[in-house]
Amino acid sequence: MTDEKPHVVIVGGGFGGLEAARGLRKAHARVTLIDRTNHHLFQPLLYQVAMAGLSPADIAAPIRNLLRRQRNTTVLMGEVVGVDANARRVLLADTALSYDYLILATGARHSYFGRDEWEPHAPGLKTLADATAIRRRILTAFERAEAEDDPEKRAAQMTFVVVGGGPTGVEMAGALAELARHSMAEDFRRIDPTAARIILLEAGPRLLSAFSENLSAKAQAALERMGVEVRVGARVEAVDGESVTAQGERIPTGVVIWAAGVAASPVGKWLGAETDRNGRVKVAEDLSVPGHPEIFVIGDAALREQDGKPLPGVAQVAIQGGKYVAGVIRARLEGRPAPPPFRYRDRGNMATVGRSFAIAEVGRFRLSGFFAWLMWLIIHIYYLIDFENRLLVLTQWAWAYFTYSRSARLILPDCDRDAGSPPETRSKERSA
Amino acid sequence: MTDEKPHVVIVGGGFGGLEAARGLRKAHARVTLIDRTNHHLFQPLLYQVAMAGLSPADIAAPIRNLLRRQRNTTVLMGEVVGVDANARRVLLADTALSYDYLILATGARHSYFGRDEWEPHAPGLKTLADATAIRRRILTAFERAEAEDDPEKRAAQMTFVVVGGGPTGVEMAGALAELARHSMAEDFRRIDPTAARIILLEAGPRLLSAFSENLSAKAQAALERMGVEVRVGARVEAVDGESVTAQGERIPTGVVIWAAGVAASPVGKWLGAETDRNGRVKVAEDLSVPGHPEIFVIGDAALREQDGKPLPGVAQVAIQGGKYVAGVIRARLEGRPAPPPFRYRDRGNMATVGRSFAIAEVGRFRLSGFFAWLMWLIIHIYYLIDFENRLLVLTQWAWAYFTYSRSARLILPDCDRDAGSPPETRSKERSA
């Protein structure tokens, strides 16, 4: 019986995919949500996991559990490798699923502007595994510095370079400065963590270009007060295991974090659809793929212009897109007329700089400083989907605020190329 | 100036090593604590990390941070590979440290009774990496079962075998039963997690042999009420990637957890000292190594008899040993007479069975049931060293108690041989 109902397949359990699934809760359809991981991730706080302020479980929840009450929905952990749009089938590594409607919410990865050889030296931040890998590199760099006798090598280990002055880069540089200058200040005997250098490189003329010039200047000043060296107009020319080169200067460094380019997942290739140079699929006004009214692309994987500008790659665009597409599919299933074209309602834009400064822009309203940070904190905790997570994160944040401590400062082994190995192994690798 | 002070080197940052370091806080000595990880681990709650009830950071704290106020103490993250007792040097992979006093607190690993080929199929539980690997295997087994069409293979994926009926095995079997029967009960569509089989194998005649027969029978009954199949007198004869064989019966299974034998770390080999068959070093009445009054072995790595019985491998023995040895060294440094021989004060023994049943034995006083569990909970939370950890763990436990939820149910990728790979890879490995 259930097999006669139309089948909606959603690929990706991020903000967009999850919202689409929820919007189909009462639809007369079978819904299958596929994700390569078993969890939904609250990405806006991912940098806190990388900076040892939060644990992975604080900002992630099993997708199965979030959708457990939704009886028409099946969750599948698996890796989608392609779409056969003519046969209406989603291809997984060892199986395939037929669909009547397909929602692709596969998000984005970071891009190295064609220099993929930089990736092993400069990890980006999109998944929990990325975050724990970056955390391990940062903490291991301090351990190496403490064990290092050569003053130059020691200084290099204590130099951290963040590439990209968007919200993620700014948040990471700020959190890194706090980690070094406060949380770890007393922990070492030979090195002084407060002497760590944190360098933020931005190729464009200013940080946080999505904000007004005024707020962007305030954010930069706040970062500089925290001890971050901000360099704008600094395009990265080279990255290797020991240094970053920008503006002709070679900066010896132990850890490089990539927060620059973003590239959509390979959805465009799967569909053979038209994309922009970042790989985002150009979608119609109902977020469907031209020529395939049964396939929708939402969130970071989609390109949709509104008022002459492409919609930004932020959570709200994905959430509103997911909700909208669920409405379109429900209307078709129920034979109702299609809803009006998708229109993104901008609810404002925020970025945080360290533990007590943020900037916010909501329409013409602009705010910066401690109250913007409080607003940022409340909104983010509120949006953390699972109640337990919200409570825990609140506890941990409040505690960290008063003590500057970091409870999640663990170095765990991993298969990450070099970050998990002890210093001597790395030196050998380097000289090899 | 500081270099003229005697140098005390402690190897291992577990309960014993940490307590020894703390006892030397005011000693006129330089103290160096070496650990291969950067964190101290609250091992009694490690099974909760394996069973997705707690996050690694809830039960671990950076050793540096715990000792940051102790200015005479340096913490070094590194792997000790040997000891040159004649030259009084501790050997690390790429360097060596001279010592005047050496405290070896290196703990124990699990032992496979000479069948090391079983290890990849039946991981044990000693480190955070062990715990997250076991968690990943368990959660992945449910995902595989949900994706599996063959009923026999599906049943095998949902069969979990715990080997060893000591406190760790009992705790894991109980927690696993709760995870399957309550926390995940509604999460799947094709499988019924409450139908999962949890089998606990014990080679001896009864569970928890350190307790009285009466309490041990009560614990078994409690486990059986939770749906665990307890088999005593069941020695494991074979383990491979697909099954466990015991008492001549081959049990097809997706996950085997090893909670049986314990072997001390290679301290005995480093020293060329006399050991028992588990590798524990036979120590003198002041816990020093015979012939080397400047070397001490404490905790699980040591063998010391008291009243005709070897001291058990529990946290309290390590803690009291660490404190005692610090006192012996302080006395020698200050030219005072040596303290009386080490004597372990047994403060009682507890084991927990699931979320509301425990057994406790303090001298002749015996307790079982919910109040024993409450006592267990309060004691364990109290002993969690870091205040923040205690608070968080309390929050999470209280919440889990009322809701049966598991916040840490994440599958994260790892280099673990097969647990992290998707089902199809594993099938291939198996048929290969």
Side-chain angles (χ1 to χ4, degrees):
Chain A
M1 192 196 83
T2 51
D3 274 40
E4 290 163 26
K5 285 188 197 167
H7 189 199
V8 183
V9 173
I10 303 170
V11 183
F15 285 117
L18 192 63
E19 193 66 28
R22 289 183 160 159
L24 292 165
R25 191 175 56 247
K26 296 183 178 169
H28 188 73
R30 289 178 298 134
V31 178
T32 302
L33 191 154
I34 310 173
D35 196 285
R36 67 173 77 175
T37 75
N38 79 330
H39 49 268
H40 170 75
L41 184 60
F42 191 75
Q43 221 150 8
L45 288 179
L46 189 56
Y47 80 98
Q48 279 290 342
V49 175
M51 297 302 154
L54 292 173
S55 282
D58 296 336
I59 60 156
I63 299 171
R64 291 195 179 291
N65 201 251
L66 295 174
L67 296 174
R68 68 186 183 283
R69 299 268 151 78
Q70 196 164 319
R71 305 308 300 187
N72 70 344
T73 304
T74 302
V75 176
L76 195 66
M77 182 176 159
E79 175 112 22
V80 171
V81 295
V83 171
D84 182 344
N86 294 324
R88 296 196 177 179
R89 282 154 65 87
V90 171
L91 311 174
L92 284 88
D94 60 343
T95 180
L97 285 181
S98 295
Y99 61 80
D100 298 293
Y101 295 96
L102 176 62
I103 303 173
L104 296 166
T106 48
R109 288 286 303 172
H110 25 275
S111 127
Y112 293 85
F113 310 118
R115 303 295 296 268
D116 288 346
E117 69 273 22
W118 294 353
E119 182 161 18
H121 311 301
L125 185 72
K126 279 288 171 189
T127 67
L128 280 178
D130 291 343
T132 52
I134 288 174
R135 178 201 292 183
R136 189 165 45 245
R137 285 190 188 213
I138 292 168
L139 299 177
T140 304
F142 282 105
E143 295 292 337
R144 283 182 181 141
E146 177 85 347
E148 179 65 64
D149 292 318
D150 182 293
E152 256 181 52
K153 287 183 185 166
R154 185 187 285 185
Q157 287 295 348
M158 292 178 64
T159 302
F160 300 85
V161 178
V162 179
V163 181
T168 304
V170 166
E171 279 160 2
M172 286 209 277
L176 193 43
E178 281 173 7
L179 177 67
R181 272 157 225 277
H182 297 283
S183 313
M184 310 222 291
E186 293 184 287
D187 285 8
F188 294 87
R189 294 294 172 264
R190 302 177 64 193
I191 60 165
D192 175 9
T194 66
R197 279 178 79 193
I198 292 122
I199 302 171
L200 177 61
L201 303 178
E202 164 58 41
R206 62 186 176 95
L207 300 181
L208 300 167
S209 56
F211 292 82
S212 68
E213 281 193 35
N214 179 25
L215 285 184
S216 138
K218 282 186 177 166
Q220 175 165 347
L223 274 179
E224 284 167 348
R225 280 196 302 276
M226 297 169 70
V228 175
E229 295 175 39
V230 178
R231 302 194 188 171
V232 294
R235 184 174 297 281
V236 169
E237 290 141 20
V239 181
D240 59 36
E242 296 184 305
S243 70
V244 170
T245 305
Q247 296 172 296
E249 186 195 348
R250 184 177 170 279
I251 308 168
T253 170
V255 179
V256 186
I257 302 169
W258 196 260
V262 164
S265 57
V267 166
K269 280 187 201 149
W270 295 350
L271 300 175
E274 194 187 349
T275 66
D276 70 352
R277 66 193 178 95
N278 294 328
R280 293 183 294 180
V281 175
K282 294 185 180 173
V283 290
E285 61 180 21
D286 66 349
L287 306 185
S288 69
V289 177
H292 283 286
E294 76 286 3
I295 304 181
F296 301 86
V297 184
I298 59 174
D300 288 2
L303 174 68
R304 178 76 203 149
E305 296 205 346
Q306 184 168 303
D307 307 331
K309 282 198 305 190
L311 292 175
V314 298
Q316 275 299 327
V317 170
I319 290 171
Q320 293 179 27
K323 187 174 270 178
Y324 174 84
V325 162
V328 171
I329 293 174
R330 276 209 321 270
R332 288 201 212 157
L333 289 172
E334 295 162 17
R336 288 187 283 110
F342 176 69
R343 205 167 160 82
Y344 168 59
R345 279 196 52 217
D346 186 358
R347 296 204 169 132
N349 206 355
M350 305 187 90
T352 175
V353 186
R355 74 182 238 298
S356 57
F357 189 96
I359 60 175
E361 226 168 46
V362 186
R364 276 189 220 151
F365 172 76
R366 284 169 196 172
L367 191 65
S368 67
F370 182 69
F371 283 100
W373 183 81
L374 266 189
M375 200 169 112
W376 176 90
L377 181 66
I378 291 164
I379 289 175
H380 280 77
I381 286 170
Y382 178 81
Y383 270 106
L384 261 180
I385 285 172
D386 206 53
F387 171 69
E388 181 191 14
N389 284 347
R390 241 180 295 177
L391 196 72
L392 269 177
V393 170
L394 183 66
T395 315
Q396 207 149 346
W397 266 86
W399 186 253
Y401 181 80
F402 286 113
T403 64
Y404 276 110
S405 87
R406 306 263 168 162
S407 65
R409 235 181 310 151
L410 307 180
I411 303 179
L412 296 177
D414 194 277
C415 36
D416 188 25
R417 225 150 308 183
D418 59 8
S421 56
E424 65 285 357
T425 320
R426 186 155 194 212
S427 321
K428 272 179 217 144
E429 263 175 29
R430 281 179 171 184
S431 54
Chain B
M1 190 194 85
T2 51
D3 275 42
E4 289 162 27
K5 286 188 195 167
H7 190 200
V8 183
V9 173
I10 303 170
V11 183
F15 285 117
L18 192 63
E19 193 66 28
R22 286 182 163 159
L24 292 165
R25 192 174 54 247
K26 295 183 177 168
H28 188 74
R30 289 178 298 134
V31 178
T32 302
L33 191 154
I34 309 173
D35 196 286
R36 67 172 78 174
T37 75
N38 79 329
H39 49 270
H40 170 74
L41 184 60
F42 190 74
Q43 221 150 6
L45 288 179
L46 190 56
Y47 79 98
Q48 280 289 342
V49 175
M51 297 302 155
L54 292 172
S55 282
D58 296 335
I59 61 156
I63 299 170
R64 291 195 179 290
N65 200 249
L66 295 173
L67 296 173
R68 68 185 183 283
R69 299 267 151 78
Q70 196 165 317
R71 304 308 300 187
N72 70 345
T73 303
T74 303
V75 176
L76 195 64
M77 182 177 161
E79 175 111 24
V80 171
V81 296
V83 171
D84 183 344
N86 293 325
R88 298 197 176 178
R89 283 154 63 88
V90 170
L91 311 174
L92 284 89
D94 60 343
T95 179
L97 285 181
S98 296
Y99 62 80
D100 298 292
Y101 296 95
L102 176 62
I103 302 173
L104 296 166
T106 48
R109 288 286 304 171
H110 25 276
S111 128
Y112 293 85
F113 310 118
R115 303 296 296 267
D116 289 345
E117 69 274 22
W118 295 352
E119 181 160 19
H121 310 301
L125 186 71
K126 278 286 171 191
T127 66
L128 280 178
D130 291 341
T132 50
I134 288 175
R135 178 200 292 183
R136 191 165 43 244
R137 285 189 189 213
I138 293 168
L139 298 177
T140 304
F142 283 105
E143 295 291 337
R144 284 182 180 138
E146 176 85 346
E148 179 64 67
D149 292 316
D150 182 292
E152 258 183 51
K153 287 184 184 165
R154 187 188 283 186
Q157 287 295 349
M158 290 176 66
T159 302
F160 301 86
V161 178
V162 179
V163 182
T168 304
V170 167
E171 280 161 1
M172 284 209 276
L176 194 42
E178 282 175 6
L179 177 65
R181 273 158 224 277
H182 298 284
S183 314
M184 309 222 293
E186 295 184 286
D187 284 10
F188 294 87
R189 295 293 172 264
R190 302 177 64 193
I191 60 165
D192 174 10
T194 67
R197 280 177 78 192
I198 292 122
I199 303 171
L200 177 60
L201 303 178
E202 164 59 40
R206 63 184 176 95
L207 300 181
L208 300 166
S209 57
F211 291 83
S212 68
E213 281 193 34
N214 179 25
L215 284 185
S216 138
K218 282 187 175 165
Q220 178 166 345
L223 273 180
E224 285 167 347
R225 279 197 302 276
M226 295 170 71
V228 176
E229 294 174 40
V230 178
R231 304 194 188 171
V232 294
R235 185 174 296 280
V236 169
E237 290 141 20
V239 181
D240 59 35
E242 294 183 307
S243 70
V244 170
T245 306
Q247 296 171 297
E249 185 196 347
R250 184 178 170 279
I251 309 168
T253 170
V255 180
V256 186
I257 301 169
W258 196 261
V262 165
S265 57
V267 167
K269 279 187 204 150
W270 294 350
L271 301 174
E274 194 186 349
T275 65
D276 70 353
R277 66 192 178 96
N278 293 328
R280 293 184 294 179
V281 175
K282 295 186 179 171
V283 291
E285 60 179 21
D286 66 349
L287 306 185
S288 69
V289 177
H292 283 286
E294 76 286 4
I295 303 181
F296 302 85
V297 184
I298 58 175
D300 289 2
L303 174 69
R304 178 76 203 149
E305 296 204 346
Q306 184 168 303
D307 306 331
K309 282 198 306 192
L311 292 175
V314 299
Q316 274 299 327
V317 171
I319 290 171
Q320 293 178 28
K323 187 174 271 180
Y324 174 84
V325 162
V328 171
I329 293 174
R330 276 209 321 269
R332 289 204 212 154
L333 289 171
E334 295 161 16
R336 288 186 282 111
F342 176 68
R343 208 169 156 78
Y344 169 58
R345 280 196 52 216
D346 187 357
R347 298 206 166 129
N349 207 354
M350 306 186 90
T352 175
V353 187
R355 72 182 239 300
S356 56
F357 189 96
I359 60 174
E361 227 169 47
V362 186
R364 278 190 217 149
F365 172 74
R366 283 170 196 172
L367 192 64
S368 67
F370 181 69
F371 283 100
W373 184 81
L374 265 190
M375 201 169 110
W376 176 90
L377 181 65
I378 290 163
I379 289 175
H380 279 77
I381 286 170
Y382 179 80
Y383 270 107
L384 260 181
I385 286 173
D386 206 54
F387 172 69
E388 181 190 14
N389 286 345
R390 242 181 294 177
L391 195 72
L392 269 178
V393 170
L394 183 66
T395 314
Q396 208 148 346
W397 265 85
W399 186 252
Y401 181 80
F402 287 113
T403 63
Y404 276 112
S405 86
R406 306 263 169 163
S407 65
R409 237 181 307 151
L410 306 181
I411 303 179
L412 296 177
D414 195 277
C415 37
D416 187 24
R417 223 148 313 184
D418 59 9
S421 55
E424 67 281 1
T425 320
R426 187 156 193 209
S427 321
K428 272 177 218 148
E429 263 175 29
R430 281 180 173 183
S431 55

